Amino acid sequence: MSSVALGGLFLAFLLVLLAIRIPIAIAMLLTGIGGYVSISGWDPLLNYLKTVAYARYTVYDLSVIPLFLLMGQFASRGGLATGLFRAAAAMVGHWRGGLAISAIGSCAAFGAVCGSSVATAATMGQVALPELRRYKYSNSLAVGCLAAGGTLGILIPPSVVLVIYAILAQQNISTLFMAAFVPGILAVIGYMIAIAIYVRLFPDSGPAQERSSWKQRLQAQQGVWPVLLIFLVVLGGIYGGWFTPTEAAAIGTVGTGFFAFTLGKMRLAELKEVLLGTGVTTAMIFMILLGADVMNAFLAISQLPNFIAESISGAGLPPFLVLAGILVLYLILGCVMDTMSMILLTIPIFFPVIMGLDFYGLDQTEKAIWFGILALMVVEIGMVTPPLGMNVYVIAGMARDIPMRDAFRGIVPFLISDVVRVVILVLFPSITLCLVRWLT
């Protein structure tokens, strides 16, 4: 059997392991080891394994992951989300659907200091869901807006998933953060428009609350400044060239921890839980990265990614048809896989394919950045699509009396907004690249 055929066979074996719920890190390790041995034997594999862990874990850029995770833990446990929601609700809560719009805005702001979709959904769900239900918002809209808003945690920089993509695709983390900013804002606007249309079609789904006085509005804004300050320092420092993403993450972590202790609900007793949660998540991600390295080494010697790229190029298919097929495949995978798994499994295969095609005359760097943002946009849709839809389950778990049917029905307007946004970004890559071109 040829090495390419073995590559395809073991890739199918990986999918079987995932289908029977083997953890993604173990599944990739088993696939990579089995495939490597089948092609090259045990001696080359053992020679590779003795250095791969050290080579992976001594990459300086990886230190940004635990720092951003710790920053998100401080923000989640420190009560910073409460002030964001109250400030937004005071400004627009008197609109029809205003509290749902406030939840979206709060998720976007919280995502700027969190970087995790599930953490954003869980934290904002604890703050906003009781208020949405108290003001008689429909179950569908309440769950839908918070589940969709949670995805902004990985769209609005900083984003842990985007860091992983940068490492896999060997791209600059700062540049990818810069490229994600405008599409992230576009996502926020699209969700708000979706809510505005939904509450006009179904007026009882999002009743307006009493208008706040200007004094109440100004008082409510006091809860915004800690998050705003952290956001400006972290991203302003990165884009201004004052410090690297890792240094920015360290500064943001210290600042978030300070505000969590002084202004929020953080106490020393909770610090252990925060550090443990960060450690567990970091270990999981690093183990997945090691599994991905072993599997990618196997794929490299099998020549499967090159074979796929050459086959597609040789088939003469229009580049946009290939891109559309990849994006649709992401949507399908998103129904059964989590975001991190999708990125780690698919980028080694899809990235060479995209790099070998021509889109609007983009150079290799711009193409890599544009595709990275498109992939990020599409995989986040998987966080709200059935049957997995992790964010939907997180929010629905906070209100167990809401049927899952109603929960997933509420996500439909936001899925429509997601699809429209992806189409716009495919047709107009300058939206993604405008800040990159302007600031670099």
Side-chain angles (χ1 to χ4, degrees), residues 217-239:
R217 294 181 184 182
L218 291 175
Q219 289 176 339
Q221 302 314 305
Q222 295 177 4
V224 174
W225 73 268
V227 174
L228 180 61
L229 179 61
I230 294 168
F231 176 77
L232 291 177
V233 169
V234 171
L235 291 188
I238 293 174
Y239 299 155

Side-chain angles (χ1 to χ4, degrees), residues 112-379:
V113 296
C114 182
S116 167
S117 179
V118 173
T120 301
T123 303
M124 293 308 307
Q126 293 173 349
V127 173
L129 187 59
E131 292 297 304
L132 291 167
R133 303 196 74 187
R134 184 162 72 90
Y135 283 95
K136 309 299 182 184
Y137 274 60
S138 70
N139 291 335
S140 294
L141 180 59
V143 175
C145 74
L146 290 170
T151 65
L152 299 173
I154 61 173
L155 294 183
I156 303 293
S159 167
V160 175
V161 175
L162 208 53
V163 171
I164 298 299
Y165 174 83
I167 293 170
L168 291 176
Q170 299 181 344
Q171 298 299 312
N172 184 275
I173 296 174
S174 302
T175 304
L176 281 164
F177 280 177
M178 196 182 304
F181 188 76
V182 173
I185 297 301
L186 189 63
V188 175
I189 295 172
Y191 286 164
M192 291 180 175
I193 292 173
I195 292 170
I197 294 174
Y198 187 85
V199 296
R200 278 158 180 76
L201 294 176
F202 306 98
D204 294 335
S205 63
Q209 64 167 316
E210 183 179 350
R211 182 187 295 267
S212 301
S213 67
W214 279 106
K215 181 180 179 180
Q216 291 172 322
R217 294 181 184 182
L218 291 175
Q219 289 176 339
Q221 302 314 305
Q222 295 177 4
V224 174
W225 73 268
V227 174
L228 180 61
L229 179 61
I230 294 168
F231 176 77
L232 291 177
V233 169
V234 171
L235 291 188
I238 293 174
Y239 299 155
W242 301 332
F243 33 72
T244 66
T246 303
E247 294 166 346
I251 293 171
T253 299
V254 172
T256 308
F258 172 78
F259 288 126
F261 276 104
T262 57
L263 302 178
K265 303 175 182 178
M266 224 16 224
R267 297 295 179 267
L268 286 175
E270 296 173 321
L271 181 60
K272 179 180 178 181
E273 296 180 11
V274 166
L275 295 176
L276 182 61
T278 301
V280 168
T281 305
T282 301
M284 177 194 71
I285 293 174
F286 278 28
M287 189 63 185
I288 292 174
L289 285 172
L290 179 61
D293 278 345
V294 176
M295 191 190 73
N296 291 342
F298 152 61
L299 289 176
I301 63 173
S302 74
Q303 295 294 306
L304 180 62
N306 292 338
F307 174 78
I308 293 174
E310 292 171 2
S311 298
I312 291 175
S313 300
L317 296 174
F320 285 98
L321 180 61
V322 176
L323 178 63
I326 290 174
L327 296 181
V328 169
L329 185 57
Y330 270 128
L331 290 175
I332 296 172
L333 290 176
C335 295
V336 295
M337 294 178 66
D338 63 272
T339 302
M340 190 72 70
S341 300
M342 277 192 287
I343 289 293
L344 288 167
L345 284 175
T346 59
I347 292 304
I349 297 174
F350 293 159
F351 188 76
V353 173
I354 294 297
M355 291 300 99
L357 300 173
D358 177 55
F359 297 95
Y360 302 107
L362 299 175
D363 62 35
Q364 293 296 90
T365 299
E366 288 186 335
K367 201 187 312 180
I369 294 169
W370 176 58
F371 177 66
I373 301 304
L374 286 178
L376 183 71
M377 290 282 176
V378 179
V379 298

Side-chain angles (χ1 to χ4, degrees), residues 391-409:
N391 282 10
V392 181
Y393 284 103
V394 167
I395 301 300
M398 299 178 186
R400 298 186 180 278
D401 58 315
I402 298 178
M404 289 306 300
R405 180 183 65 256
D406 292 344
F408 279 111
R409 185 185 298 127

